[in-house]
Structures are given as C-alpha cells and as structure tokens.
Amino acid sequence: MKPLVNRLSYASVQAQDPLRLAQDTANIVGARVVGEEGGAILMSSNQRHAEFIIHKGAENLFRACGLEAVSAGAVREVRDRARAAGLTVLSETPSLACIDHSVTFATSEGHVIEVHTPMPQDRPVRFHGPGVHAKCLDHLNFTARNPELWAREMSAACGLLLTERTAGYEISWMRAADGRHHTIAAVKGASGVHHISWEFNAFQDFRALGDNLAIEDRRLVWGPGRHGAGDNLFLYYRDSAGFLIECIAEMEVILDDAAPTRVVEPGENLSNWKVVNQWGHLPPLDWIQHHNRMVEVETCPT
Ligand SMILES: [Fe+2]
C-alpha cells in the first residue's frame, strides 16, 4: 500500500541553551529563526512554517519527529493503526497552532512521532542570513535496541516502506510516499536518536559547511563521502548541543512502492565500504557509537 505519510516535517529538541543552538544552526546549516511558540524557538530553511523546534530544557534531549500525512484521513488512519499495533497514542492535539489535525504516538522504544496534516508554507522561501542555507530538513536517523521491531511498528502505524536494511538489522532505512530512499532510519543501539539530516543543493555547499565549522576550530565527524544506501553525498558534524547533524545532497528516489527491500551485508563495525561510503573512507567509532537520548514518554510494554 501507499505510505500514509509523505515526508519528514520537523524535528524538535530541547536544549540547555536554546539561543546558542539556534545561533549555531543558523551559522552552519543556514536555517533562520522564524518565530516562537509556547516558549520554543521555531527555525526554517525554506517556506515551511517550522522545521527545527528548540525548547528550553535541563538537558539536551531529542523530543519528537514530525511526519506530514498525505491527508486528514490518513492522520485518523495512523491513529487507528498505531492503536491496533499496540502502540501508545500520546495525543491528538497538534503541537503547533498552525497544524489542523495530528496524532502523536510513541514506538515501543519511546520515539515520539507526530503525524499531522501539512505544515503551512507561509515563510519567505529566500532570506538573508549566515550559513549555507539548506534546502530542507531531510531525514531522521533514530537509534533502537531492536531496529527490526522498530521497522515493523513504523510500517504498521504509518505504512512506511522498508527500502533497505543490513542483514542483521544493524541499520534499517524506510521511505515515505515521496519515494526518497529514506525519511526515517534506525541504527542498532540504545533507544534514542543518531542524527538529524538537512538537504543541501549540491556538493559545492560542503566546502562552506566545512569552512564555517573550521572558523570555530570544529572538525567533521565523518565525510565528505557518498553513502551506498541512498546514494547520497554526506558529511557529519556535532552541533552546539551535541546532536549529530548530517548534511546531504542527491538522495536516491524510488517511486515503485512494490520494490523489494534490499538486504546488504554491513561488515564488522560497518566495514563494508560499498554500503557505508562508496568512496571508501569508513565511519569512525565516534560516528558508530553516537547516540542522543530522548525525552521519556509512556510506551507500550515490549
Ligand atoms: Fe542519514
């Protein structure tokens, strides 16, 4: 069946120093502050109302992943399917005033997912400001103790399609209705978030990304390179709150909903370079072991 969600909508986090994180996100990926709501800072890199939402918190934690439903009816269907799958429905109240309908549920590992009617496109698409000006927020990569179960839950609730996985489910990549190779993914580890990814126009943008980090004596965590899964260009750095940020370009698009799941061998410690980086440079342990914790919520028993 067709996925019930079209694309990634937003990522929300909490940070000890929200203003510093907003400034850092502006300086590097070029999203700008577009407003505040409920004490949170809203940021967007394009015309979308909000893509990155920063709350104030005692610790730096990931809060929620917003996914845009294909219709209002799809929001209701996600609610019913999440319940039928035994997942905890946390709320049916939209997290932002601009969202008409939503349902928020938690995976069995505590990933908070808000599926909602489309985010209004009410911001100017072009704007002045620092950074490289990403095109959009692109995908989220979670960490999960059981990525196989995580993928089954996301398929059951949202109809997401498992595009590709490694043989032992060390990493699973799932696509939405827009056909991009992955909109959400999970890498095996303690429950949490591995990285937040922004899409850029071209590889040429990576030059300024690296230079802007070097101004502050900050290094890249991994890359630049080209992933095997997704065929996308990538580089990774850590932001001021310790979240791992990926910058990508050229993600593969798969429009065949019936395309079979690809199964690839990862090699020990993701050493199969044809899967992880077609250019050959393997991920450092720093990348493999990265993990950000999440705000804790009620979850169904596993
Ligand atoms: Fe990624």
Side-chain angles (χ1 to χ4, degrees):
M1 68 167 274
K2 201 85 181 159
L4 295 167
V5 298
N6 209 25
R7 54 163 294 160
L8 182 64
S9 170
Y10 72 82
S12 73
V13 301
Q14 65 175 52
Q16 294 170 314
D17 190 344
L19 287 176
R20 171 66 190 125
L21 179 56
Q23 180 188 49
D24 186 50
T25 303
N27 284 344
I28 308 301
V29 301
R32 86 292 206 191
V33 173
V34 287
E36 276 194 30
E37 187 171 326
I41 299 171
L42 310 184
M43 302 192 74
S44 176
S45 68
N46 51 44
Q47 70 273 43
R48 298 171 67 76
H49 185 82
E51 294 183 290
F52 190 55
I53 301 168
I54 310 170
H55 296 256
K56 170 89 176 156
E59 292 180 83
N60 297 329
L61 298 172
F62 186 84
R63 287 172 66 101
C65 162
L67 295 174
E68 210 161 87
V70 297
S71 66
V75 174
R76 291 189 292 274
E77 192 170 344
V78 168
R79 176 198 61 196
D80 295 345
R81 289 173 57 149
R83 284 192 178 131
L87 303 177
T88 304
V89 172
L90 299 167
S91 173
E92 292 187 59
T93 304
S95 62
L96 294 172
C98 67
I99 294 173
D100 290 334
H101 302 286
S102 89
V103 60
T104 303
F105 70 90
T107 68
S108 59
E109 305 210 23
H111 307 111
V112 176
I113 310 290
E114 181 181 17
V115 175
H116 61 82
T117 46
M119 188 74 82
Q121 304 206 6
D122 55 4
R123 312 292 190 188
V125 66
R126 277 171 283 280
F127 52 92
H128 293 298
V132 186
H133 290 211
K135 284 174 74 176
C136 62
L137 192 70
D138 183 69
H139 67 265
L140 273 176
N141 197 313
F142 295 102
T143 48
R145 293 187 309 273
N146 186 342
E148 183 177 4
L149 177 61
W150 171 87
R152 280 208 306 272
E153 290 174 354
M154 294 308 298
S155 171
C158 303
L160 286 156
L161 302 168
L162 185 59
T163 305
E164 187 160 352
R165 67 172 175 87
T166 55
Y169 282 90
E170 294 84 356
I171 311 181
S172 300
W173 295 272
M174 304 192 81
R175 71 183 181 280
D178 68 0
R180 294 171 70 81
H181 179 278
H182 54 283
T183 287
I184 56 168
V187 58
K188 193 171 174 58
S191 303
V193 170
H194 189 264
H195 62 261
I196 300 167
S197 179
W198 296 84
E199 185 187 11
F200 290 80
N201 284 294
F203 186 72
Q204 177 68 9
D205 287 347
F206 291 10
R207 176 178 182 269
L209 284 162
D211 284 344
N212 285 337
L213 290 163
I215 288 169
E216 300 175 42
D217 293 328
R218 293 159 67 181
R219 66 180 185 89
L220 301 181
V221 174
W222 185 28
R226 185 186 287 282
H227 284 313
D231 198 39
N232 57 292
L233 300 163
F234 70 87
L235 67 74
Y236 295 84
Y237 74 94
R238 277 196 186 81
D239 69 18
S240 65
F243 295 105
L244 186 61
I245 305 297
E246 182 182 17
C247 303
I248 73 123
E250 300 183 10
M251 177 74 82
E252 178 186 5
V253 175
I254 301 161
L255 293 175
D256 179 4
D257 293 339
T261 299
R262 301 171 191 165
V263 181
V264 291
E265 285 293 337
E268 189 175 354
N269 275 337
L270 302 180
S271 56
N272 183 352
W273 58 272
K274 292 190 176 178
V275 172
V276 296
N277 183 1
Q278 298 179 54
W279 296 351
H281 179 208
L282 296 177
L285 276 181
D286 192 19
W287 185 94
I288 293 171
Q289 295 173 348
H290 182 88
H291 160 251
N292 288 106
R293 290 185 302 115
M294 307 176 289
V295 171
E296 289 187 15
V297 295
E298 179 193 346
T299 57
C300 67
T302 51

